Amino acid sequence: MKNNKTFTMIKPDAMQNGYAGLILAEIEKAGFKIIEMKMTYLSKESAQEFYKIHKGKPFFNDLIHYMTSGPIIAAVLEKDNAVSDFRKLIGNTNPKEAEVGTIRNMYAQSIDANAIHGSDSDENAEIESHFHFSNEKN
Ligand code: ATP
Ligand code: MG
């Protein structure tokens, strides 16, 4: 994968609060093209696999419980410098520290329920995209 794609999930709190459309609008306004998208649920097993890097941390069980608490929207996005530009657009993991105008500043509740995921490297963008979408163009 070139450095022009990233993977995102709109997380259960944002779905529950009715922010999915507003968040997708912010993503498109920022110049990202949605090239794959689906509404789905994470099973406990798939959430544990997705977040396995955090296994053993104090918040791991709460994170899995939260990520499986309702539907999510998974999507692959395209833009130059997709990974870093998208991390800037979503803001700090903790919404209290997220810059004004970022998605987490506007739509996240707390560090546990922080509205949206964005891949943290090109390598992980590819792994995470294939986790949800099998299409070869990813
Ligand atoms: P994400 O991977 O979901 O995009 P992130 O890359 O900003 O978020 P990570 O460090 O990968 O942050 O953590 C994954 C998720 O685990 C966070 O989005 C958050 O919901 C949760 N998390 C991380 N650190 C903490 C913490 N100290 N306390 C509670 N939850 C946390
Ligand atoms: Mg992360």
Side-chain angles (χ1 to χ4, degrees):
M1 189 186 268
K2 300 197 199 100
N3 67 349
N4 66 343
K5 293 199 186 85
T6 191
F7 172 78
T8 187
M9 289 186 290
I10 299 177
K11 296 184 177 182
D13 61 298
M15 299 295 291
Q16 177 66 31
N17 290 325
Y19 294 148
L22 293 165
I23 290 173
L24 288 170
E26 290 296 327
I27 290 170
E28 289 189 316
K29 250 195 283 175
F32 292 86
K33 188 174 166 202
I34 298 167
I35 58 171
E36 299 269 13
M37 184 163 77
K38 69 179 171 193
M39 183 164 158
T40 185
Y41 288 84
L42 290 179
S43 66
K44 193 174 169 196
E45 290 69 31
S46 56
Q48 285 173 333
E49 173 65 22
F50 193 90
Y51 280 114
K52 66 183 173 196
I53 190 169
H54 297 300
K55 204 169 175 194
K57 293 188 185 163
F59 59 84
F60 184 72
N61 287 344
D62 287 345
L63 175 63
I64 301 307
H65 183 257
Y66 156 65
M67 286 302 297
T68 56
S69 65
I72 59 148
I73 287 176
V76 179
L77 307 173
E78 191 174 79
K79 184 184 184 296
D80 285 348
N81 300 315
V83 166
S84 61
D85 282 3
F86 195 71
R87 297 284 296 193
K88 273 184 223 142
L89 178 67
I90 70 178
N92 195 287
T93 307
N94 184 349
K96 289 198 182 96
E97 287 166 26
E99 259 183 69
V100 172
T102 59
I103 290 175
R104 283 170 168 162
N105 168 259
M106 292 188 282
Y107 301 116
Q109 313 304 302
S110 63
I111 193 167
D112 316 83
N114 60 5
I116 190 158
H117 163 78
S119 304
D120 60 10
S121 66
D122 289 339
E123 189 192 358
N124 283 336
E126 184 165 6
I127 292 168
E128 292 170 4
S129 297
H130 285 123
F131 193 85
H132 286 276
F133 302 100
S134 55
N135 196 320
E136 278 179 13
K137 70 176 186 256
N138 297 325

